[in-house]
Amino acid sequence: MRLLVVEDDRDLNRQVVSALEEAGYAVDKAFDGEEGAFLGETEPYDCIILDMGLPKADGVSVLSGWRRAQVKTPVIILTARDRWSDKVNGFDAGADDYVTKPFHMEELLARVRALLRRTAGHATSQISAGPVVLDTRSGRVFVDGSPVKLTSHEYRLLSYLMHHTGRVVSRAELTEHLYDQDFDRDSNTIEVFVGRLRKKLAVDLIQTVRGLGYLIDAGAGGKQP
Ligand code: CA
């Protein structure tokens, strides 16, 4: 999953970005409204964290701009505690959730997880497919109840595929959603990661759809069609 953080407070921006990276997400960052607006409109993020008070363009106008441009990415707004009107204006502009400053990083992480799984149509923080269970809360993976140790890249890849069971995901899409802007992207690496992941999981879960991409069958899991 790839996220964008738009926050002009450099310290806070850095804290949020590193907490999200530690949680296993690929993260891009912007420090003002214009830069944020541009990235949000041109890059395919899975979730955006947007501060309301920003230089160059405020959060509400950035968000309204995205929604006008049909950007449907879920957005969590960051609002000041004494500005209830920020929340109202933010929701009206198309926000999906909010966190009031100052906040505990754990709360923001939990809201990101909830939003990602709701967007993908999952009701709980555990997503399963056949014998494989992905616990998005702890970031752990189990096969037949036994934990499997994955690298952060392997986890990201599996997490993205399991959030999108029943749909063929192309290599290009994976590349766009698994790496941040600065990463040297090469879609061949996806193939390598899929190979390693299959080996570690040791179950027939990830199918290759020739010429199109990869698929985890919805019927393989607890998610009903
Ligand atoms: Ca601010």
Side-chain angles (χ1 to χ4, degrees):
M1 301 284 175
R2 186 172 166 212
L3 276 50
L4 172 67
V5 175
V6 190
E7 166 61 72
D8 59 315
D9 179 330
R10 296 210 162 239
D11 281 340
L12 184 58
N13 190 309
R14 185 174 37 78
Q15 286 165 26
V16 172
V17 169
S18 51
L20 290 169
E21 283 176 343
E22 229 164 89
Y25 303 106
V27 189
D28 288 344
K29 48 190 175 288
F31 297 94
D32 64 60
E34 272 177 17
E35 195 187 4
F38 175 75
L39 284 174
E41 206 174 317
T42 50
E43 298 290 328
Y45 296 107
D46 297 292
C47 178
I48 298 175
I49 292 140
L50 175 70
D51 183 33
M52 286 287 94
L54 291 167
K56 295 192 184 172
D58 65 65
V60 168
S61 49
V62 171
L63 184 50
S64 322
W66 286 336
R67 296 314 188 216
R68 265 199 309 278
Q70 301 297 316
V71 174
K72 298 191 176 78
T73 313
V75 172
I76 300 175
I77 54 172
L78 303 180
T79 67
R81 199 201 334 218
D82 53 347
R83 296 286 302 268
W84 63 269
S85 57
D86 275 1
K87 293 172 202 159
V88 175
N89 295 336
F91 277 119
D92 284 341
D96 297 274
D97 201 356
Y98 71 90
V99 175
T100 306
K101 290 182 189 176
F103 52 87
H104 288 282
M105 210 54 83
E106 278 307 318
E107 183 185 350
L108 179 63
L109 292 174
R111 288 181 185 274
V112 168
R113 285 195 299 271
L115 204 46
L116 288 174
R117 73 171 145 73
R118 278 207 304 273
T119 307
H122 297 279
T124 64
S125 60
Q126 284 202 346
I127 302 173
S128 53
V132 180
V133 174
L134 182 92
D135 185 340
T136 61
R137 193 170 170 195
S138 62
R140 296 177 75 193
V141 173
F142 301 85
V143 178
D144 287 324
S146 307
V148 178
K149 215 168 152 45
L150 300 180
T151 65
S152 63
H153 274 94
E154 290 160 358
Y155 177 83
R156 250 185 235 174
L157 172 64
L158 182 65
S159 174
Y160 193 83
L161 290 173
M162 286 191 65
H163 272 82
H164 298 94
T165 49
R167 176 163 84 67
V168 178
V169 179
S170 72
R171 247 177 248 152
E173 180 178 341
L174 284 171
T175 307
E176 282 185 326
H177 287 266
L178 301 187
Y179 303 119
D180 60 50
Q181 230 187 348
D182 304 327
F183 195 88
D184 183 18
R185 293 162 187 205
D186 173 359
S187 61
N188 289 328
T189 47
I190 295 288
E191 228 168 320
V192 175
F193 281 125
V194 170
R196 282 189 207 153
L197 196 51
R198 279 179 173 145
K199 221 174 192 172
K200 284 194 183 175
L201 296 175
V203 286
D204 194 13
L205 182 75
I206 305 167
Q207 302 171 32
T208 302
V209 183
R210 199 173 287 277
L212 294 175
Y214 301 101
L215 167 74
I216 292 181
D217 203 333
K223 198 188 158 201
Q224 299 302 317

